[in-house]
Amino acid sequence: MTPARQWAEWKDLTPSPRMPCRRSSAARNGAGHLAGGPAGPANLLDLVRNFVMFETIDGQRTKKVARYQQFVAVGKAIERIRGALSPQRRGGVIHHTQGSGKSLTMVFLATKLRRLPEAENPTLVIVTDRTDLDDQISSQFKRSASQPHPG
């Protein structure tokens, strides 16, 4: 069972800003965000396919699902890549703060990128400013390398 401290609220409806039940009681209690955000049909399929990862630490298997900030950041990066007029314009920056889930965001971005037919074996360059952060991100990729379902 997941401890309460691990749960996070889906705070906005990005990338689905239209929500038919905006003034309903469902919208006021959070169910509207669920229906308009992560549980919208396209978003739910995207979440399940690209934003769920499994990792094993000390023999303990854990499932992790992206927080809304990670989902939105990866979505915007993918839009930029798809909308680039030339391959040289496909780059971008995702700024992270301490404790924001930067390692997981990079794993989610890499997962989604490798599934894009137009990406054709993408190269990801992750630039950090500290050796310990290099180790952290590298370890995260190694722990999440194998997924229980085919891509």
Side-chain angles (χ1 to χ4, degrees):
M1 179 143 190
T2 304
R5 64 182 165 74
Q6 295 292 335
W7 287 90
E9 184 179 358
W10 194 280
K11 297 188 187 241
D12 66 21
L13 299 174
T14 305
S16 298
R18 288 179 277 146
M19 180 177 65
C21 59
R22 186 172 295 287
R23 288 187 172 78
S24 71
S25 61
R28 287 190 299 274
N29 71 16
H33 278 301
L34 181 65
N43 292 344
L44 184 58
L45 290 173
D46 192 19
L47 270 169
V48 170
R49 181 167 171 83
N50 299 304
F51 294 92
V52 176
M53 53 94 45
F54 296 83
E55 67 180 13
T56 303
I57 301 174
D58 298 328
Q60 181 77 27
R61 188 108 168 125
T62 305
K63 176 170 55 173
K64 294 186 176 184
V65 179
R67 291 182 296 198
Y68 82 97
Q69 312 93 301
Q70 294 165 318
F71 183 80
V72 170
V74 169
K76 288 183 178 185
I78 296 296
E79 282 177 25
R80 180 177 169 96
I81 291 165
R82 283 186 160 157
L85 298 175
S86 69
Q88 293 80 13
R89 305 285 302 170
R90 289 185 184 163
V93 174
I94 299 176
H95 176 77
H96 291 91
T97 57
Q98 185 176 358
S100 64
K102 64 186 94 20
S103 300
L104 288 173
T105 302
M106 296 300 104
V107 169
F108 296 137
L109 178 59
T111 299
K112 192 159 180 172
L113 271 174
R114 74 183 171 107
R115 291 183 173 145
L116 290 180
E118 64 267 33
E120 298 179 14
N121 194 21
T123 299
L124 226 60
V125 177
I126 300 172
V127 179
T128 66
D129 62 350
R130 297 186 323 273
T131 304
D132 61 327
L133 188 52
D134 290 342
D135 295 341
Q136 174 188 331
I137 291 174
S138 175
S139 295
Q140 183 66 66
F141 269 87
K142 289 174 187 171
R143 286 193 311 268
S144 58
S146 60
Q147 300 205 11
H149 56 79

